[in-house]
């Protein structure tokens, strides 16, 4: 299959979107990438501090002048406030592209995911207030909050207040289940209090590739040799198990696959009532290479691979439903590494704003 073929209706992504309940989202709010992804069948998009910084820095001819305009309009605002104003504008523009899918699905899809400021990760009340504010930017906004003890408490309260939720900094089955349970409590509280019934489109992310990354690092630190390729299935195994438990328990939220490291994070999940959110380049390559859109969600990971993974204590923490307590989520290696990356991206966005409004002499 050539690149020219990849946009037609026979391409794998379009076939999966058309023939299965598996929803495709684009892992970026970049307007050009999102428009092309919608052509592949995408019905949603996600954003985080790293993605936002990348999208804004990619178009200096657009965002340099706009940042200077914002600085002139708000002369007392600091770099962070100006940077987040740009993130809001980027998100609103992307949300507009997804409105048709939002309206067609009754709110289940067509959502643009914007992430709360990672610097608030220790403050439940601040996360809730920012989530409520972000939810009002457009009718089809869904808000990311970290899957830590603090964040899960914030998710429940924000969902009760009517915010559509997407868990982030989430890598494991225990985290996904804790979020799913919190969202069920929020929906039940709304019902008990007579609040309006609506489709929130809640999703619960598992960043499968980042789980793989962490387990590879952990195994290296422990000087444990693992069969080459086995650890590339860890995130897939966690996603499959979480999806099965969500279906078994009847949770009213869907699992979302993010942080792609291979096409397995799409191909092994096709057929499930869940969301896959590859970066745009992964989507293009899946189409260009004709990766089959087969129903594989119910096919277990090969027993010999799962047995080898299960011998790793850190994998068991991530895979078993009771592998970690909620209070342990923040100290999980993948959580700490990802939060630090998000915080670094915030600092990079501040520097980008500084260069735009106060260039060096």
């Amino acid at each position: 299959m050539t690149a020219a073929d990849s946009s037609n209706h026979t391409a794998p992504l379009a076939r999966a979107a058309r023939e299965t309940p598996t929803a495709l989202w684009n892992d970026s709010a970049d307007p050009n990438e999102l428009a092309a992804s919608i052509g592949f069948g995408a019905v949603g998009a996600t954003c985080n501090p790293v993605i936002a910084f990348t999208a804004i820095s990619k178009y200096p001819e657009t965002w340099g002048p706009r940042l200077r305009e914002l600085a002139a309009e708000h002369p007392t605002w600091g770099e962070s406030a100006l940077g987040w104003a740009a993130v809001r504008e980027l998100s609103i523009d992307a949300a507009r592209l997804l409105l048709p899918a939002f309206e067609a699905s009754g709110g289940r899809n067509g959502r643009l995911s914007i992430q709360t400021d990672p610097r608030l990760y220790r403050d439940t009340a601040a996360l809730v207030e920012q989530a409520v504010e972000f939810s009002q930017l457009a009718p089809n906004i869904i808000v990311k909050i970290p899957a830590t003890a603090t964040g899960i408490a914030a998710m429940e309260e924000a969902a009760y207040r009517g915010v559509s939720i997407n868990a982030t900094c989430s890598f494991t089955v225990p985290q996904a289940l804790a979020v799913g349970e919190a969202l069920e409590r929020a929906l039940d509280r709304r019902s008990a209090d007579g609040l309006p019934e609506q489709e929130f489109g809640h999703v619960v992310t598992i960043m499968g590739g980042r789980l793989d990354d962490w387990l590879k690092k952990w195994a290296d630190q422990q000087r444990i040799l693992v069969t080459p390729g086995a650890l590339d299935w860890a995130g897939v195994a966690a996603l499959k198990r979480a999806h099965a438990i969500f279906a078994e328990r009847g949770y009213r939220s869907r699992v979302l696959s993010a942080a792609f490291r291979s096409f397995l994070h799409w191909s092994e999940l096709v057929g499930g009532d869940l969301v896959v959110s590859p970066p745009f380049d992964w989507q293009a390559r899946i189409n260009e290479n004709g990766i089959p859109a087969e129903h594989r969600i119910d096919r277990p990971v090969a027993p010999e691979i799962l047995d080898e993974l299960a011998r790793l204590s850190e994998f068991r923490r991530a895979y078993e439903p009771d592998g970690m307590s909620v209070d342990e989520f923040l100290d999980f290696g993948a959580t700490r590494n990802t939060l630090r990356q998000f915080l670094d991206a915030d600092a990079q966005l501040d520097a980008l704003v500084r260069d735009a409004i106060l260039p060096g002499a």
Side-chain angles (χ1 to χ4, degrees), residues 160-339:
Y160 171 75
R161 295 196 197 180
V163 178
S164 294
I165 295 296
N166 178 1
T168 189
C169 287
S170 177
F171 318 90
T172 69
V173 174
Q175 286 175 290
L177 296 181
V179 174
E181 291 162 5
L183 295 177
E184 289 299 306
R185 290 194 298 270
L187 290 167
D188 289 344
R189 287 171 56 198
R190 286 182 61 84
S191 179
D193 290 346
L195 294 172
E197 297 284 338
Q198 67 187 79
E199 174 58 73
F200 286 98
H202 296 314
V203 293
V204 183
T205 293
I206 291 182
M207 305 174 91
R210 287 179 180 265
L211 175 59
D212 297 350
D213 292 345
W214 166 242
L215 290 175
K216 290 172 184 178
K217 182 176 181 178
W218 176 85
D220 186 60
Q221 290 172 342
Q222 304 301 313
R223 299 181 57 80
I224 297 173
L225 294 178
V226 181
T227 300
L231 288 170
D232 294 324
W233 288 88
V236 170
L239 282 154
K240 284 177 179 284
R241 189 163 203 190
H243 171 265
I245 296 173
F246 270 50
E248 175 188 321
R249 297 183 181 179
Y251 286 165
R252 289 165 283 183
S253 52
R254 288 176 292 174
V255 171
L256 184 150
S257 169
F260 273 52
R261 298 296 184 268
S262 78
F263 65 77
L264 297 175
H265 294 126
W266 172 75
S267 63
E268 286 295 318
L269 305 173
V270 171
D273 184 12
L274 46 73
V275 177
V276 288
S277 185
F280 180 75
D281 187 57
W282 273 109
Q283 295 173 49
R285 286 192 277 169
I286 287 168
N287 280 337
E288 290 163 12
N289 287 273
I291 304 302
E294 300 174 343
H295 185 111
R296 299 186 66 88
I297 184 64
D298 298 322
R299 296 189 190 182
V301 173
E304 63 273 18
I305 293 176
L306 198 56
D307 287 347
E308 182 168 8
L309 292 173
R311 291 197 288 270
L312 305 175
S313 61
E314 195 74 348
F315 174 76
R316 295 196 300 273
R317 293 180 74 204
Y319 183 71
E320 297 298 336
D322 59 354
M324 284 189 288
S325 70
V326 172
D327 289 336
E328 292 178 291
F329 294 164
L330 179 58
D331 198 46
F332 188 62
T335 307
R336 286 185 280 119
N337 290 342
T338 301
L339 266 175

Side-chain angles (χ1 to χ4, degrees), residues 1 21 43 45-46 62 64 100 107 115-116 120 123 199 207 213 231 257 297 305 348:
M1 179 177 292
V43 290
T46 61
T62 297
Q115 185 163 325
T116 48
L120 303 178
D123 189 334
E199 174 58 73
M207 305 174 91
D213 292 345
L231 288 170
S257 169
I297 184 64
I305 293 176
Q348 289 178 293

Side-chain angles (χ1 to χ4, degrees), residues 115-145:
Q115 185 163 325
T116 48
D117 188 333
R119 288 169 291 195
L120 303 178
Y121 75 94
R122 292 163 55 86
D123 189 334
T124 296
L127 287 169
V128 171
E129 292 307 314
Q130 190 172 70
V132 170
E133 185 238 316
F134 283 172
S135 73
Q136 297 166 356
L137 294 174
N140 55 332
I141 290 290
I142 188 168
V143 182
K144 284 185 176 181
I145 298 175

